[in-house]
Amino acid sequence: MLITILRFSLLLFILYGWSKTYTYSFSLPHHLSYVFSMATLTLILYAGSLLGVMTGTALLLSIVGFVLGIYHSLRQKKTVMPRFYTLFFILYTLILGSTLLQTSLVHYDNFSHWGTIVKFFYTEGRLATPADALIEFYSYPVGSSLFVYFSTFVTGYSEQAMLLGQFLIILSALYSFFAVVRDLNRRLIISVIFLFFGLFNYYNIAIRIDNLLVDFLLPLITLAGIAGIYRLRKTPFKMSLYTLVIGGFLGIIKNNGLFFVALLVVYAIITVSRNKTSATLTKKINYSLSMIIGSVTPFLLWLNHLNQFPAQSKHGVNVNAYQSIFEGKNEEVIGQITDAFLDTVLSVSTPSTQGLLLGLIIVVVSSIVLKTMSGKKNSFITLGFTLTIITLTYYLGIYFMFLFSMPIEEAIILAGFERYTSSLVIFNLGTIMFTLVIEWDRAFYIQDIARRDSRGFKSVRMKMIYQYTTLLVTGSAFLFILSENNGMIYTLSTYDRTIQGQVKNIVDERFELSTDRYLVVSTNEEDVNNYLIAVVGRFYLYSPYVDGREAFDMNGDDFISLISGYDTIVVLDSHQTFKQLAEEEFNQSLDPGQYRVSELIKQD
């Protein structure tokens, strides 16, 4: 563990070097520099990967970042006492980070793709192609996976290194939210932001942060982009550069990331068009075009990369494949999907629907309260209408996804619905949070920040309300954070009883691609049938030829014929039928463990 912490500290030092360079060289606010540096590093690594020099690019970025870290450390002249928000953010990081430091991968999709692709990058140092049978979804964009790979490149490979690498992306996005705060000394405003952090974690419950799935990243990176656009709104050149980098990174995280790229770019263009200080009409048009082109170029380069291969994997961007899937659904199936979709969306028991309703309540109540207390107009009603249009568009897109790009058996049960919708819920809550923070600050009795102190309240009563509200919100935020952490700790405590834990404890994890055939024996029929055992086995045994099996109702000849088709048998638990057949045919009791088939047959 100590070595892991030291190597992870090296990664932080490298990122510190890059982020400080953007802060000093480009006068980028330090709240934005971390997410900007991670996006930039990923895009540079992405370019190197497309050119076939992934490992060399990662090495160059590490060396340069380390040198920059030394340079900025030496020029650091004074130490600034951390403020309330910094201390709370550090606490947030330490609580969740310390748990991730002990956590292993658990989610199915980590093994079917996200963890496997990072491991592939680490061992092979290149992008996957259709020839790599281990990587079924080679057409998935690789954005965040490349940064997670960079983390393992610096710290050494481990599941914890992957999870902490992803956590760094999350933290950098969350830290950028403070860029919208005009007065960082207002503890109530800071507490509200942390309360929303807790809400984000709550509505991300379908996947949590103890995995490598990207549905949580999409809204957070988008919100980080919006925070930067708002902060840099008076410097259109800097804002445009920030937008196209964040947008470019966002576009290669996942295919549906383009929806969030569009939201980001539209907001940036509106912001540029409203600039009345230094931008002429020609400049505004140029800025707008540069943001559009810069944001979509990385994704277009990915499509160009995929065009080198005529075959497309599942979920690839392929119009013919979409048409084929849709034509396979008759009118009855489409009706079933539509009914299930509407029932789920309109049900108050659906978590994502609850999140949308919560956002609506916050918008309405905040608008009324602020109008009553300050007597000033606010932008909540406009925000409510905007989010309604965005929500309807996004949900319509999800509905079409079930129709056009998802197999019938998955579409009928709305597979992954909560994962997909949680992204929008978090985005909505984040934009509401920004508006709340901005409007709340405008409603304060004293607008001159320099004059705000303990006496800067309209009355003693207002001061007491402020203090008690701050205490309540801070406590609630802390409870949300502890709840998320306790959920991860519970998952950690049950890990050894999961299929993932069983496989990891029995097999020796491999790091060289293999063509050996493995049969994994388990009494867990459900996890055999849903292919969890197969995908977990593929990840650890690093071979595309792994099968899980529970049924062994057969005679001795059929048993020998089955076993002979594999190189190794992995027994996860005490399977009585399998054990009895093995004793009869091999005169050996096969307890949980690994067995070479050649050795078993030789003994026979």
Side-chain angles (χ1 to χ4, degrees), residues 43-69:
L43 289 174
I44 295 172
L45 189 54
Y46 174 65
S49 302
L50 292 175
L51 295 173
V53 287
M54 180 186 291
T55 304
T57 305
L59 178 61
L60 179 62
L61 291 173
S62 301
I63 294 173
V64 173
F66 183 75
V67 173
L68 290 173

Side-chain angles (χ1 to χ4, degrees), residues 299-595:
F299 181 76
L300 294 178
L301 290 175
W302 182 248
L303 292 183
N304 180 67
H305 168 73
L306 293 181
N307 285 336
Q308 301 176 43
F309 316 111
Q312 289 288 326
S313 71
K314 180 182 178 183
H315 298 309
V317 181
N318 188 320
V319 175
N320 292 331
Y322 293 157
Q323 183 178 356
S324 175
I325 292 173
F326 178 71
E327 290 176 349
K329 295 168 181 165
N330 56 34
E331 190 173 323
E332 180 183 355
V333 172
I334 294 174
Q336 288 178 313
I337 295 171
T338 303
D339 290 341
F341 185 82
L342 290 175
D343 289 344
T344 303
V345 171
L346 298 177
S347 173
V348 182
S349 63
T350 303
S352 53
T353 301
Q354 294 173 1
L356 294 176
L357 290 175
L358 174 64
L360 177 62
I361 292 171
I362 295 174
V363 166
V364 173
V365 172
S366 298
S367 177
I368 295 173
V369 170
L370 285 174
K371 176 65 176 176
T372 302
M373 293 183 64
S374 67
K376 301 177 182 177
K377 291 183 179 180
N378 57 72
S379 57
F380 276 106
I381 299 303
T382 302
L383 174 68
F385 280 117
T386 302
L387 292 182
T388 299
I389 294 171
I390 292 173
T391 299
L392 291 174
T393 304
Y394 187 80
Y395 269 67
L396 193 61
I398 293 176
Y399 172 68
F400 284 135
M401 179 193 68
F402 286 125
L403 288 183
F404 289 98
S405 68
M406 194 168 282
I408 293 176
E409 61 274 12
E410 295 181 23
I412 288 177
I413 62 172
L414 303 184
F417 177 85
E418 278 304 314
R419 277 175 51 192
Y420 305 134
T421 53
S422 67
S423 296
L424 185 74
V425 172
I426 292 166
F427 171 80
N428 283 3
L429 290 174
T431 52
I432 292 169
M433 175 194 69
F434 288 156
T435 307
L436 190 62
V437 166
I438 294 168
E439 294 290 353
W440 206 330
D441 182 84
R442 290 173 180 169
F444 278 143
Y445 179 63
I446 294 179
Q447 286 296 298
D448 184 358
I449 294 177
R451 292 177 54 226
R452 288 179 179 174
D453 54 26
S454 60
R455 293 170 295 179
F457 293 88
K458 189 174 184 179
S459 66
V460 174
R461 180 172 174 271
M462 291 302 297
K463 180 179 178 181
M464 290 181 61
I465 292 175
Y466 178 91
Q467 290 174 332
Y468 283 120
T469 304
T470 300
L471 185 62
L472 176 62
V473 173
T474 303
S476 300
F478 191 69
L479 288 176
F480 268 117
I481 295 169
L482 288 180
S483 175
E484 171 68 7
N485 193 59
N486 289 338
M488 294 195 297
I489 290 175
Y490 175 77
T491 302
L492 181 60
S493 69
T494 61
Y495 178 75
D496 287 339
R497 299 195 296 273
T498 64
I499 291 298
Q500 297 91 324
Q502 286 180 298
V503 174
K504 188 175 181 179
N505 290 333
I506 288 176
V507 307
D508 298 320
E509 185 171 2
R510 298 178 180 274
F511 293 91
E512 291 185 10
L513 287 171
S514 171
T515 57
D516 284 2
R517 305 187 70 87
Y518 295 87
L519 177 65
V520 183
V521 179
S522 173
T523 58
N524 193 320
E525 182 179 5
E526 180 182 353
D527 286 336
V528 167
N529 292 337
N530 65 20
Y531 300 103
L532 175 63
I533 288 175
V535 297
V536 172
R538 290 173 63 172
F539 177 82
Y540 288 111
L541 295 167
Y542 218 34
S543 168
Y545 310 110
V546 179
D547 297 318
R549 190 178 182 95
E550 183 273 335
F552 288 93
D553 298 322
M554 59 186 69
N555 58 39
D557 290 339
D558 290 339
F559 181 70
I560 293 294
S561 177
L562 172 68
I563 295 299
S564 298
Y566 296 93
D567 299 295
T568 300
I569 309 297
V570 179
V571 183
L572 292 186
D573 45 36
S574 183
H575 192 299
Q576 292 303 317
T577 307
F578 174 83
K579 196 172 184 178
Q580 183 178 347
L581 283 169
E583 287 177 349
E584 292 174 357
E585 299 302 322
F586 305 132
N587 196 29
Q588 181 179 348
S589 177
L590 299 188
D591 296 318
Q594 297 182 80
Y595 303 90

